[in-house]
Amino acid sequence: MALKWLINLIAETDEKKLRKMQPIVERINSLENQMRSLSQEDLSRKTSEFKQRIDNGETLDSILPEAFAAVREAAARTTGLRHFDVQLLGAMTLHRGKISEMKTGEGKTLAATMPVYLNALSGKGVHIVTVNDYLAKRDSEWMGPIYRFMGLDVGLIQHDMEYDERKKAYAADLTYGTNNEFGFDYLRDNMATHIDHCVQRGLNYAIVDEVDSILIDEARTPLIISGIVEENIDGYYKANEIAKRLSMNTDFTVDEKTKNAVLTEIGVKKAEKMLGLDFLFDIANIDIAHQILQSLKAWHLYRKDIDYVIKEDQIIIVDEFTGRLMIGRRYSDGLHQAIEAKEKVRIQEESQTLATITFQNYFRMYEKLSGMTGTAKTEESEFWKIYGLEVLEVPTNKTMIRRDLNDVIYKTKKEKFTCVANEIEDNYKKGRPILVGTISIENSELLSEVLRRRGIPHHVLNAKHHEKEAEIIAKAGQRKAVTIATNMAGRGTDIVLGEAITDLGGLHVIGTERHESRRIDNQLRGRSGRQGDPGSSRFYVSLEDDLMKLFGSGRIANAMTRLGIEENVPIEHGLISRAIENAQGKVEQYHFNIRKQVLEFDDVMNRQRESIYNLRKRILEGKDLKDKVVEMMGQVTDSLVEGFIPPKSHPDEWDYDGLITAFKEIGPNVGGMEEIKQIKNRDGAKNALLDLIKISYDAKEFQVGSDAMREIEKLVMLKVLDQKWIEQLHNMDALREGIGLRGWGGRDPLIEYKFEGYNMFQEMMAAARQEIISMIFKVQVVREGEEVLPKAKRVTYGEPSRISRPAPERKVEKIGRNDPCTCGSGKKYKKCCGKNT
């Protein structure tokens, strides 16, 4: 306690930090009349002036007051909006690479225009990251006129955009898009086979809107680009039938917290009998055993209209935090197929990971990162530990007067929803607008049916109807408006009150269940009471709610029984609200530990990924390809000598025949190999082999020409690296799944994973180098219309000290101009990558 008190005493409060910014706010305000007096041309000309000053050595910080003042005036002229002083504080917080916590309705979108404009002056690009395509498009259209007025280009990334449109959008001074699109484009760029196919131009500065949703809630879900793997899908149907016939607790157990299912000994024997197997977990049966476990999860842990919906004969995941449909996302490891079998929709093929990254590691690559949200303080510690981001709470422009009422708790869900409907009806009759928040699509439709039977007009906003979001939310503050919404309504939307609604008490928010995260509850509450408006909020809870079942509903139920509390009689007390918040805190800590573990394991992969992607970039840019190949030849030679002429061994023990055979298998075709047997010095043998491989390499380059050789090197390197990396991703996944068992032996699984992963990566790179060198020697260039001879022609290498000899028959890697392009575009090679060679 004493240490905590001392830290609080020494540490700067948000209030102190904001006070230090006040002189800059005053400086910006002092420039307002000056900027207002400028003509349109003179004001927009400020951009070129600022850029020139930066080129002359001024910093962004030094021109900040003038730049912010210019943006404020441009906003007033183009949108009719003028930044409040508190928005200037939020804008400075974002520019300094921090998280600006600004309450709902305080104008985060407008505040962001200032740091976006200022940082775009550097010419390195700025990314504005939103949670969905709708908000990205809305904000780019809403704020775009400000930037264009000041002479900046505005880019927009949307899910269905083609390559050329994406490249143009990223080339703009600032680019709007979603976290998914930015992340996937990064991965796709690192799978490209030509530098011109990359769309991003570097990760300079990002402002993440709803930063807690993207960097916290979605951090457990990595981005994965995958390809189809041939697989017999009948096993999923078979596993589905078996899972339906197994009994919970007798044949298997499930853990709702970890979403895991485990077969009991009885269940194993029952499954073996149904399948006619002797041992279910024999290596030959491992696929069907795995599919049965996934089917059990599908039946007992994943629920329709809560975890997923069925749309157009497809299983589409519902984001647990926002309620939005995650189009294109699939559960991994066969779980999605198991759910498809359960719901009797067409099973799609299993996929293989081609590239993957977590949001944590993606966003940590930006040179400067900042974010904004209405709810970040509860996760301040995680933002700092994972991203090095400080949270600064910006005051509201007007005093918050919303009343947050105590939670009301009932025994059953039925009682709870009856009372929720009663409260909705009472407020509806008064004409007061109501927003009702639900955790799942199922609950939103259940409540909708109750209201329909009572004759209360209302709108339902959930993942099934998200395309109507803007229209529904625009009317949610009007007289007698009743809006039922999943958590998606709490993100990026602003409810404006209609006429005379303030006299009725403003918008009343009802939460039908507490969420696992306090931030999501606060987001729902925050829809009411914007910009000093009146409003109120109340949460209704039942002992049958998921959160309550996980944390102590039994004790509360016993207390209610002992007190003789009858049906439909609620408990309403601040102690109950605090107890629920404590439960939420425990769940938040649990999820933080999961995210932290995901990051710790992905950090191992991240170091490998950076190494591979940096090498790929060098290859795509054509930088020092010949030097890199020569370096690889040296590494391959070292590895061969190490294997056949071990250090500290006697020359009599050296396996020269094995060394020469292995060397020939790589592909160099030169004489003089037998003479190496006469060398009784390891370094001498190594140098002699390296000389021979370089001679063969130079001869190959002379034969095909240096330009063609560079193209061969590039294509071969990319092909081998990509294939080896895919195998490494698969192997690391397998290692990750089984590494937890090391804990039973008293060893730290993470340390073991780092050690094993490092060794696997070194082995993978050694194998890749050897295959690259081998393919470079064996590939044969065939020009369009030219036949491949059954035997290669005799080649004179021009090396006087070596006897020239015909090359042996060899495998041909043929890249014809009319063949499909290797980049996977589907176009002919001559019309795709070939046009640039």
Side-chain angles (χ1 to χ4, degrees):
M1 286 296 292
L3 179 61
K4 187 175 181 181
W5 174 84
L6 184 61
I7 291 171
N8 289 335
L9 182 67
I10 296 171
E12 270 195 310
T13 63
D14 286 2
E15 190 178 348
K16 286 180 183 176
K17 293 171 185 172
L18 293 169
R19 232 180 358 250
K20 286 184 176 180
M21 294 184 191
Q22 198 56 42
I24 305 175
V25 172
E26 291 168 5
R27 170 66 178 148
I28 296 167
N29 288 336
S30 71
L31 294 166
E32 189 162 16
N33 289 334
Q34 178 186 327
M35 294 296 174
R36 193 175 292 161
S37 67
L38 295 175
S39 66
Q40 181 172 330
E41 293 74 18
D42 287 341
L43 182 59
S44 60
R45 204 176 291 128
K46 280 287 180 182
T47 298
S48 56
E49 177 194 318
F50 294 146
K51 288 182 176 180
Q52 185 61 53
R53 285 165 60 181
I54 291 170
D55 290 342
N56 292 339
E58 281 199 56
T59 65
L60 294 181
D61 288 339
S62 68
I63 65 171
L64 183 150
E66 294 169 81
F68 277 21
V71 172
R72 177 190 258 178
E73 180 59 26
R77 295 188 190 187
T78 56
T79 67
L81 301 171
R82 176 189 175 278
H83 298 75
F84 300 129
D85 285 2
V86 291
Q87 288 172 305
L88 301 184
L89 294 172
M92 281 186 275
T93 302
L94 293 171
H95 167 66
R96 294 177 179 183
K98 299 178 182 180
I99 291 174
S100 175
E101 180 177 283
M102 300 174 68
K103 300 300 181 190
T104 301
E106 290 298 306
K108 294 187 289 291
T109 306
L110 181 64
T113 57
M114 289 180 162
V116 167
Y117 172 78
L118 177 63
N119 284 270
L121 295 173
S122 68
K124 297 178 182 178
V126 176
H127 293 169
I128 305 98
V129 188
T130 65
V131 293
N132 58 63
D133 275 353
Y134 161 73
L135 291 176
K137 186 176 182 182
R138 184 202 72 177
D139 291 353
S140 69
E141 292 173 349
W142 187 17
M143 299 293 113
I146 301 172
Y147 303 119
R148 295 189 183 96
F149 181 93
M150 296 301 295
L152 297 182
D153 295 328
V154 181
L156 170 66
I157 302 292
Q158 296 278 275
H159 177 69
D160 54 356
M161 271 187 172
E162 295 296 327
Y163 154 79
D164 289 337
E165 295 176 292
R166 286 177 183 270
K167 190 159 189 175
K168 183 180 178 182
Y170 280 115
D173 295 300
L174 55 115
T175 308
Y176 285 88
T178 68
N179 50 318
N180 288 339
E181 293 305 314
F182 285 125
F184 279 129
D185 281 334
Y186 168 77
L187 291 177
R188 282 189 284 261
D189 278 0
N190 284 287
M191 296 171 66
T193 55
H194 199 286
I195 193 67
D196 290 342
H197 295 166
C198 298
V199 295
Q200 290 186 343
R201 58 179 175 127
L203 304 178
N204 174 46
Y205 174 48
I207 295 179
V208 183
D209 193 10
E210 305 301 349
V211 66
D212 54 327
S213 175
I214 291 172
L215 298 190
I216 300 291
D217 297 337
E218 296 201 39
R220 283 186 286 168
T221 308
L223 293 174
I224 297 173
I225 292 179
S226 57
I228 300 301
V229 175
E230 289 187 15
E231 185 178 29
N232 181 8
I233 61 173
D234 291 339
Y236 288 106
Y237 291 116
K238 192 183 296 182
N240 182 62
E241 292 304 313
I242 291 170
K244 287 196 295 184
R245 294 162 63 185
L246 296 177
S247 303
M248 190 185 293
N249 297 326
T250 302
D251 300 325
F252 66 93
T253 59
V254 296
D255 185 334
E256 291 192 12
K257 285 186 184 179
T258 60
K259 291 212 167 187
N260 195 26
V262 179
L263 284 168
T264 64
E265 193 173 338
I266 295 171
V268 170
K269 296 209 174 290
K270 192 178 285 187
E272 287 170 347
K273 186 176 180 182
M274 286 188 270
L275 290 166
L277 299 174
D278 293 328
F279 182 44
L280 178 63
F281 290 99
D282 186 275
I283 191 68
N285 306 322
I286 198 68
D287 286 343
I288 188 64
H290 175 73
Q291 288 165 342
I292 290 171
L293 292 175
Q294 296 298 69
S295 291
L296 289 172
K297 292 181 191 177
W299 276 99
H300 301 284
L301 293 168
Y302 290 83
R303 296 161 292 178
K304 179 183 172 184
D305 287 341
I306 295 177
D307 299 297
Y308 61 89
V309 297
I310 302 174
K311 193 172 184 179
E312 297 176 357
D313 202 38
Q314 290 186 23
I315 301 297
I316 301 178
I317 301 171
V318 175
D319 189 308
E320 65 175 304
F321 297 102
T322 66
R324 294 183 185 278
L325 296 184
M326 301 169 78
I327 307 294
R329 291 271 193 100
R330 288 177 63 81
Y331 293 116
S332 60
D333 209 23
L335 176 59
H336 212 95
Q337 287 84 346
I339 295 173
E340 287 167 335
K342 165 192 167 183
E343 298 293 352
K344 299 180 180 176
V345 302
R346 186 180 70 84
I347 295 181
Q348 297 183 28
E349 296 88 347
E350 181 61 277
S351 57
Q352 180 184 44
T353 299
L354 305 179
T356 179
I357 193 170
T358 60
F359 281 125
Q360 292 134 312
N361 273 319
Y362 172 72
F363 281 105
R364 292 197 303 185
M365 287 190 292
Y366 280 89
E367 288 185 30
K368 184 164 74 173
L369 179 66
S370 64
M372 51 190 184
T373 180
T375 49
K377 274 293 181 181
T378 56
E379 311 292 349
E380 186 171 20
S381 174
E382 181 168 353
F383 279 122
W384 179 254
K385 288 177 182 175
I386 303 298
Y387 303 99
L389 286 172
E390 183 183 343
V391 178
L392 192 60
E393 189 174 3
V394 178
T396 56
N397 184 48
K398 295 181 180 178
T399 304
M400 172 73 71
I401 60 172
R402 184 187 69 235
R403 293 186 305 126
D404 295 327
L405 306 170
N406 287 330
D407 292 7
V408 179
I409 186 166
Y410 288 87
K411 278 186 176 181
T412 66
K413 281 187 178 181
K414 182 180 177 183
E415 296 171 51
K416 178 182 72 173
F417 278 109
T418 299
C419 291
V420 167
N422 290 340
E423 181 159 347
I424 292 171
E425 188 170 3
D426 289 344
N427 281 279
Y428 172 74
K429 288 176 179 176
K430 296 173 187 173
R432 189 180 182 190
I434 308 134
L435 174 66
V436 187
T438 65
I439 279 194
S440 66
I441 298 169
E442 180 184 48
N443 284 347
S444 68
E445 295 184 342
L446 183 154
L447 184 57
S448 174
E449 178 60 25
V450 173
L451 297 183
R452 189 188 62 77
R453 289 199 300 266
R454 295 193 182 199
I456 300 174
H458 60 280
H459 290 286
V460 178
L461 180 60
N462 60 31
K464 289 186 174 180
H465 310 100
H466 66 278
E467 61 276 359
K468 300 177 183 176
E469 177 177 337
E471 180 186 347
I472 293 172
I473 285 296
K475 297 175 181 176
Q478 303 302 308
R479 182 177 174 81
K480 286 198 168 187
V482 177
T483 309
I484 302 172
T486 50
N487 294 326
M488 62 190 299
R491 291 294 180 184
T493 53
D494 201 7
I495 299 174
V496 180
L497 297 182
E499 278 188 48
I501 298 303
T502 55
D503 297 334
L504 295 172
L507 179 68
H508 181 49
V509 170
I510 298 174
T512 60
E513 189 171 340
R514 283 284 202 155
H515 194 273
E516 287 182 349
S517 169
R518 288 169 291 175
R519 286 178 297 100
I520 308 299
D521 292 344
N522 291 338
Q523 278 284 344
L524 180 62
R525 277 199 170 110
R527 311 321 305 162
S528 175
R530 61 179 292 280
Q531 285 293 327
D533 286 340
S536 58
S537 71
R538 186 195 295 278
F539 278 84
Y540 284 82
V541 180
S542 89
L543 300 183
E544 295 177 346
D545 293 347
D546 290 343
L547 183 70
M548 298 302 292
K549 283 193 292 186
L550 286 172
F551 291 94
S553 61
R555 292 193 301 275
I556 299 174
N558 292 335
M560 293 176 80
T561 303
R562 284 197 305 272
L563 293 170
I565 295 174
E566 299 176 4
E567 267 194 29
N568 296 321
V569 177
I571 296 178
E572 181 180 352
H573 197 283
L575 286 173
I576 295 293
S577 299
R578 285 194 292 276
I580 291 171
E581 288 188 0
N582 287 337
Q584 289 175 307
K586 291 177 184 177
V587 178
E588 288 167 6
Q589 184 60 43
Y590 170 76
H591 287 315
F592 168 62
N593 290 336
I594 290 176
R595 290 189 292 268
K596 185 168 175 285
Q597 187 180 58
V598 167
L599 180 61
E600 286 172 342
F601 278 88
D602 191 62
D603 279 343
V604 179
M605 281 299 303
N606 199 48
R607 284 188 284 274
Q608 299 182 13
R609 179 168 45 237
E610 287 178 350
S611 178
I612 291 291
Y613 286 178
N614 287 338
L615 178 55
R616 278 190 106 265
K617 189 175 181 182
R618 277 182 61 188
I619 295 167
L620 285 178
E621 292 174 346
K623 289 181 180 176
D624 311 319
L625 285 188
K626 183 171 183 177
D627 292 344
K628 188 64 185 175
V629 171
V630 171
E631 179 188 330
M632 286 184 176
M633 289 191 297
Q635 291 167 322
V636 169
T637 303
D638 286 348
S639 179
L640 288 176
V641 172
E642 192 81 13
F644 292 97
I645 309 179
K648 300 181 180 178
S649 59
H650 192 273
D652 292 342
E653 299 171 344
W654 293 357
D655 184 4
Y656 271 121
D657 291 331
L659 176 62
I660 292 170
T661 300
F663 191 74
K664 287 180 178 178
E665 285 175 359
I666 293 175
N669 182 44
V670 289
M673 291 190 197
E674 293 296 323
E675 289 89 329
I676 292 177
K677 292 182 180 181
Q678 308 306 316
I679 302 173
K680 299 302 179 182
N681 175 279
R682 281 185 85 254
D683 289 339
K686 186 190 300 183
N687 293 333
L689 278 175
L690 188 55
D691 286 343
L692 291 176
I693 201 170
K694 285 180 179 177
I695 289 168
S696 187
Y697 171 77
D698 290 340
K700 179 79 175 183
E701 183 171 357
F702 179 79
Q703 176 192 9
V704 302
S706 59
D707 290 343
M709 192 65 170
R710 297 294 85 77
E711 189 65 20
I712 289 170
E713 289 165 347
K714 183 171 79 170
L715 292 174
V716 167
M717 281 183 177
L718 290 176
K719 178 178 179 180
V720 173
L721 268 182
D722 288 348
Q723 186 56 45
K724 293 296 182 185
W725 180 236
I726 290 168
E727 292 172 9
Q728 177 72 355
L729 289 173
H730 176 75
N731 292 336
M732 291 294 284
D733 277 345
L735 176 64
R736 174 74 180 86
E737 281 186 18
I739 204 73
L741 297 175
R742 306 282 179 94
W744 292 100
R747 290 180 287 178
D748 186 331
L750 179 60
I751 292 174
E752 293 289 307
Y753 182 74
K754 288 178 179 178
F755 179 76
E756 296 276 358
Y758 174 80
N759 288 339
M760 287 166 59
F761 184 72
Q762 295 304 318
E763 290 169 8
M764 181 271 289
M765 288 302 294
R769 286 191 290 265
Q770 186 158 326
E771 191 169 332
I772 286 168
I773 298 305
S774 180
M775 285 184 70
I776 286 173
F777 281 120
K778 293 175 182 176
V779 74
Q780 190 172 1
V781 177
V782 180
R783 293 172 177 81
E784 191 174 11
E786 192 177 282
E787 293 293 329
V788 182
L789 297 177
K791 290 189 178 181
K793 296 179 181 178
R794 183 181 295 272
V795 179
T796 302
Y797 296 148
E799 180 63 42
S801 61
R802 302 292 174 201
I803 301 171
S804 71
R805 61 189 70 208
E809 284 191 69
R810 54 191 69 181
K811 184 179 178 181
V812 177
E813 289 286 333
K814 184 175 175 182
I815 307 171
R817 288 175 58 76
N818 288 312
D819 288 340
C821 187
T822 56
C823 73
S825 66
K827 299 178 183 177
K828 290 183 179 180
Y829 181 73
K830 66 180 179 181
K831 292 185 177 180
C832 191
C833 300
K835 67 185 177 184
N836 299 310
T837 59

